[in-house]
Amino acid sequence: MMRSFWSLLNEFHVVIPIVQRDYAQGRNTARVKVIRENLLNSLCGALKAAQEPLVLDFVYGYTRDKDDKQIFFPHDGQQRLTTLYLLHWYLTAREGRLAEVTETLAKFTYEVRHSSRIFCKQLAQYCPNQFNRPVKESIINQPWFFTAWINDPTIQAMLTMLNAIQQKVAAFDLPPVWDQLSSDHSPIMFHLLSMNNLGLPDDLYIKMNARGKELTDFEYFKVRFSEILDQDQAMIFNQKIDQIWSDMFWDLYKDSPAVDIAQAVDAGIMRFFSYITDLIIVRRHMESLNGEDELARYRILYSDHEHVTFLFETLDLFCSMKQTNPDFFQSIFSTDRDAWLEGKVRLFFIDATEDLLKKCADKYDPKLRNNPFSIGEQLLLYACIL
């Protein structure tokens, strides 16, 4: 179901549950700064253009009735919802309409810490007198703002995000947009998925959300890579990278008890993406990309629809193969150096294994002088793709 943040607040009290991590999109690490910049560019761009709505993927959660209130607890989408809350607060305050919406904005809160909950309540009621100074300073100087709140990571991050929103709104020179943002045709939407009927235990939710860590290299890559693609390609990528493509790599590592499977899967996908990218560079004789960093190379290469198609079709190919012919590699390759098997190619590589996809995911590293996934193996895997 497509929803806007405002329609969600009109129907539910939105409570970030205590099992969730602190708000992270306002952190000041280098990676988060890039993500925050790109996200705000997208949000303000959608408000400025007022054409096709910006769709912020899926928000998952469950609802409960409590004290005559319908409460929505998000279990995936906390970060986006918090950013939207801060954006809505800032835009209504800037347009002098906060008094009209205070009661509705107050329906968004955090259970993570008492200080975060009180801060959200106070913020919904506060309207700065002027906007020619950093909004963070205005808030900190209010009598209701406790100095100790500076040590609350969620409040810290919210203040940083509010300053970033203020700067971005000014940079885009946004006109009054509140009527548009709060309408039935909001330019910023997301898919809302209720998990009430899935029958999942509460401890699973806790496990899902006990990851209050910095973004991993893979999470960072997913965010940046999807931004390179057009809207249709990004939708396919975001859906498959966390579902069938990830499942395919999970199958490669699920029987490896000595490793952290989640980390191995993330690293394996990154190595395979790097292999396919280098393969495209070789196929297209694009030597000029050799000096670019990885994300720059992705940006140049995958602006070409044909390259994206090759990548996606290759991943789909191996997903299909794992389902219909899981012994494909074993049926055409052999590592038995003492016997010749009819119909099979005998492999003599260092640490030879029949499953070239698995070895690529394990070993591919073009940064090393002697790539552990050798040129010969790279060519054979390419031959299998063809």
Side-chain angles (χ1 to χ4, degrees):
M1 180 189 301
M2 289 280 285
R3 301 294 293 268
S4 68
F5 179 76
W6 198 243
S7 69
L8 182 68
L9 276 190
N10 276 313
E11 185 173 352
F12 299 104
H13 288 256
V14 178
V15 177
I16 307 301
I18 199 167
V19 298
Q20 284 280 16
R21 61 178 175 170
D22 289 298
Y23 178 53
Q25 287 182 349
R27 291 175 182 172
N28 277 317
T29 63
R31 288 182 181 177
V32 175
K33 285 180 180 178
V34 172
I35 292 171
R36 180 166 62 247
E37 175 78 7
N38 291 331
L39 175 60
L40 291 180
N41 281 338
S42 297
L43 294 172
C44 291
L47 290 169
K48 183 86 170 181
Q51 295 174 355
E52 290 295 317
L54 173 67
V55 180
L56 300 177
D57 211 350
F58 285 88
V59 171
Y60 302 87
Y62 69 96
T63 60
R64 293 283 188 272
D65 290 331
K66 184 178 179 182
D67 300 328
D68 297 325
K69 300 175 183 175
Q70 273 198 304
I71 301 177
F72 176 75
F73 294 93
H75 278 286
D76 187 78
Q78 165 211 358
Q79 302 294 321
R80 284 164 287 153
L81 290 177
T82 305
T83 297
L84 289 176
Y85 163 72
L86 297 173
L87 179 67
H88 281 64
W89 176 84
Y90 181 80
L91 291 175
T92 55
R94 185 189 72 138
E95 296 179 25
R97 303 182 64 174
L98 192 62
E100 302 172 27
V101 300
T102 293
E103 186 175 344
T104 305
L105 278 177
K107 292 168 69 176
F108 179 91
T109 190
Y110 264 69
E111 278 188 348
V112 179
R113 286 186 179 86
H114 176 74
S115 53
S116 305
R117 183 164 65 251
I118 299 301
F119 175 78
C120 290
K121 179 181 178 181
Q122 294 288 351
L123 184 66
Q125 301 172 24
Y126 168 64
C127 186
N129 293 324
Q130 53 183 336
F131 291 87
N132 57 359
R133 60 183 294 193
V135 67
K136 175 180 178 178
E137 291 182 11
S138 300
I139 294 171
I140 290 176
N141 287 331
Q142 294 309 301
W144 50 263
F145 188 93
F146 288 89
T147 305
W149 286 358
I150 293 294
N151 298 318
D152 182 315
T154 288
I155 296 176
Q156 277 184 345
M158 285 183 173
L159 292 171
T160 298
M161 177 58 84
L162 283 170
N163 263 9
I165 289 172
Q166 181 180 31
Q167 294 165 8
K168 194 61 66 177
V169 167
F172 272 78
D173 192 21
L174 285 183
V177 294
W178 176 245
D179 288 334
Q180 177 190 3
L181 188 60
S182 59
S183 72
D184 293 336
H185 303 287
S186 173
I188 302 170
M189 307 287 282
F190 51 84
H191 298 281
L192 186 67
L193 181 62
S194 173
M195 302 177 72
N196 282 39
N197 300 321
L198 297 184
L200 299 177
D202 287 343
D203 62 345
L204 177 59
Y205 293 126
I206 294 172
K207 292 174 184 176
M208 288 168 62
N209 292 285
R211 300 178 301 160
K213 303 176 182 177
E214 290 283 324
L215 293 173
T216 66
D217 288 340
F218 182 58
E219 290 168 330
Y220 178 63
F221 160 75
K222 287 192 295 183
V223 171
R224 296 302 304 277
F225 187 76
S226 65
E227 293 169 351
I228 296 168
L229 309 175
D230 65 35
Q231 186 172 356
D232 291 339
Q233 292 169 341
M235 185 175 298
I236 294 170
F237 174 79
N238 290 329
Q239 179 187 44
K240 291 188 174 182
I241 194 65
D242 287 324
Q243 295 183 32
I244 62 172
W245 294 342
S246 183
D247 290 345
M248 186 261 290
F249 282 91
W250 188 274
D251 286 341
L252 296 179
Y253 294 99
K254 65 183 180 182
D255 297 321
S256 306
V259 302
D260 183 318
I261 297 178
Q263 290 184 5
V265 169
D266 289 358
I269 295 176
M270 290 296 295
R271 292 191 190 100
F272 184 77
F273 264 76
S274 183
Y275 165 70
I276 294 296
T277 302
D278 290 340
L279 196 59
I280 293 171
I281 291 173
V282 173
R283 288 174 66 195
R284 300 301 183 191
H285 307 291
M286 302 174 79
E287 293 88 351
S288 61
L289 295 181
N290 290 339
E292 301 285 352
D293 64 44
E294 193 162 45
L295 279 170
R297 292 160 77 222
Y298 285 142
R299 186 175 296 107
I300 295 169
L301 283 172
Y302 295 109
S303 61
D304 187 322
H305 190 275
E306 183 180 347
H307 296 166
V308 178
T309 299
F310 177 70
L311 170 66
F312 286 7
E313 288 183 348
T314 301
L315 286 161
D316 287 339
L317 172 71
F318 283 119
C319 287
S320 176
M321 182 201 74
K322 286 293 183 182
Q323 293 291 323
T324 61
N325 189 9
D327 297 323
F328 168 76
F329 289 110
Q330 289 78 7
S331 69
I332 59 174
F333 297 125
S334 169
T335 56
D336 190 341
R337 301 193 179 196
D338 299 322
W340 176 79
L341 301 175
E342 185 175 357
K344 292 190 177 184
V345 176
R346 187 162 53 177
L347 304 179
F348 292 91
F349 304 112
I350 297 173
D351 299 324
T353 176
E354 292 96 346
D355 193 338
L356 293 177
L357 175 64
K358 174 71 159 54
K359 188 167 183 184
C360 177
D362 281 344
K363 303 292 185 179
Y364 187 77
D365 190 350
K367 296 182 182 68
L368 295 180
R369 186 170 181 273
N370 293 314
N371 193 327
F373 189 60
S374 67
I375 291 292
E377 290 166 306
Q378 294 173 42
L379 289 172
L380 281 177
L381 181 56
Y382 181 39
C384 292
I385 293 170
L386 294 181

